[in-house]
Amino acid sequence: MTNDKFISVEAIAKRYPAAGGGQTTIFKNLWLSLPRGEFGCVIGHSGCGKTTVLNILAGLDQPTEGAVIVDGQAIEGTSLDRAVIFQSHALLPWRTVMGNVAYAVSSKWRGWDKAKIRAHAQRFIDLVGLTGSEHKRPSELSGGMKQRVGIARALSITPKIMLMDEPFSALDALTRGSLQDEVRRICLETGQTTFMITHDVDEAMYLADKIYLMTNGPGAVIAEIVENPLPKDRARIDLHRHPYYYGLRNHIVDFLVTRSKTFTSTNPHHDPLQVPVVCPGVADVAPVSLQANAR
Ligand SMILES: Nc1ncnc2c1ncn2[C@@H]1O[C@H](COP(=O)(O)OP(=O)(O)OP(=O)(O)O)[C@@H](O)[C@H]1O
């Protein structure tokens, strides 16, 4: 396994029986890879199969064809190596914040004593900014706090990969922004390999190193891989001031608004194994202004 293929999705397809007989192909011949420590994000319209891809990565669903390899091993079912954060936090309502996180920790390290489990859980509760709320039950928490518990729980098992299915979409804008900041900080600090799906262009631009553009279904494919040209130390609040911002954003929005529908018919020779890698925005900015902005 090469380091640039820590996650390797290889020729997966998902088909379901169609109402009138035959089969509906949701997506097909889908290849993508993500290096260790990077943040990948699939963006595409509703119904193209994003959640299905994520569920396959989680081992909650199986592809009709193809395979997914993580750290050199083919995925077969769920594993504590892969943590999933869903849109709804799915916490155990009768357990406290500490209880929810500690339960995940004890599932992974069955031989640990109570004190070790609590100390480990506490580290991750602190990491997501919930220090002082350890004793609270989910009914006493805001939506944002519940999602923080979900993130602490996912990270506490030190998964090889963290999978996020539109994790912030149910939150108000302010909470969503601060949680995006937390997730970005944590991923950079811990080197966590993360794979997320979203509809939100700004979220993808802020969080992801690579953005996989998925065409509309049925028969969806990955059309392009966008290498995020924004600097690693980007901040959410001044993202729009960066000289690459509008070129990058316009490229993704153009894809979603027009090209995602027509891509398959207008690119009959598209090779799913040689998906174009693009770095939008960079070429639009003159070197002089780039240097001026770099200061
Ligand atoms: N069990 C099933 N039987 C038949 N079709 C299904 C089944 N599960 C999902 N699908 C179809 O597969 C397609 C992809 O679903 P999926 O939830 O992966 O899409 P998505 O891109 O995540 O959508 P959204 O953004 O709305 O969540 C949809 O058209 C859905 O109707």
Side-chain angles (χ1 to χ4, degrees), residues 16 26 45-52 166 197 199:
Y16 289 108
I26 306 300
H45 282 290
S46 187
C48 69
K50 301 180 300 296
T51 295
T52 308
E166 301 190 49
I197 61 174
H199 288 111

Side-chain angles (χ1 to χ4, degrees), residues 97-266:
V97 168
M98 171 58 80
N100 268 280
V101 181
Y103 181 71
V105 176
S106 63
S107 312
K108 172 127 185 193
W109 292 286
R110 292 180 184 277
W112 284 12
D113 64 32
K114 223 172 169 179
K116 193 167 179 185
I117 290 169
R118 287 180 75 86
H120 185 87
Q122 187 70 52
R123 247 183 71 208
F124 291 89
I125 291 170
D126 295 345
L127 192 68
V128 299
L130 283 178
T131 315
S133 298
E134 295 81 353
H135 60 284
K136 292 187 178 157
R137 290 180 202 281
S139 59
E140 300 173 85
L141 304 175
S142 68
M145 289 167 91
K146 286 181 202 162
Q147 203 56 311
R148 282 173 195 269
V149 181
I151 295 167
R153 184 178 57 182
L155 288 167
S156 71
I157 58 167
T158 58
K160 283 185 179 171
I161 60 174
M162 187 158 78
L163 302 165
M164 302 202 291
D165 188 350
E166 301 190 49
F168 313 118
S169 58
L171 303 173
D172 65 90
L174 215 62
T175 310
R176 181 161 60 233
S178 66
L179 264 182
Q180 287 168 347
D181 290 344
E182 292 293 315
V183 164
R184 178 149 179 83
R185 176 182 63 79
I186 291 166
C187 287
L188 289 175
E189 270 177 29
T190 60
Q192 177 67 54
T193 310
T194 306
F195 189 86
M196 180 177 81
I197 61 174
T198 186
H199 288 111
D200 184 332
V201 176
D202 285 300
E203 182 167 283
M205 288 170 56
Y206 177 45
L207 293 176
D209 299 304
K210 286 189 171 58
I211 303 163
Y212 307 92
L213 303 183
M214 201 160 168
T215 64
N216 294 9
V221 298
I222 301 285
E224 277 178 10
I225 300 166
V226 175
E227 288 276 1
N228 193 339
L230 299 173
K232 245 334 198 198
D233 63 351
R234 54 190 177 262
R236 186 171 47 85
I237 50 164
D238 60 8
L239 214 58
H240 62 289
R241 292 189 218 281
H242 195 276
Y244 297 160
Y245 174 83
Y246 284 105
L248 174 62
R249 194 172 198 287
N250 291 345
H251 185 88
I252 300 173
V253 172
D254 280 347
F255 176 81
L256 292 173
V257 172
T258 51
R259 294 174 55 224
S260 62
K261 297 183 200 83
T262 56
F263 183 86
T264 309
S265 58
T266 54

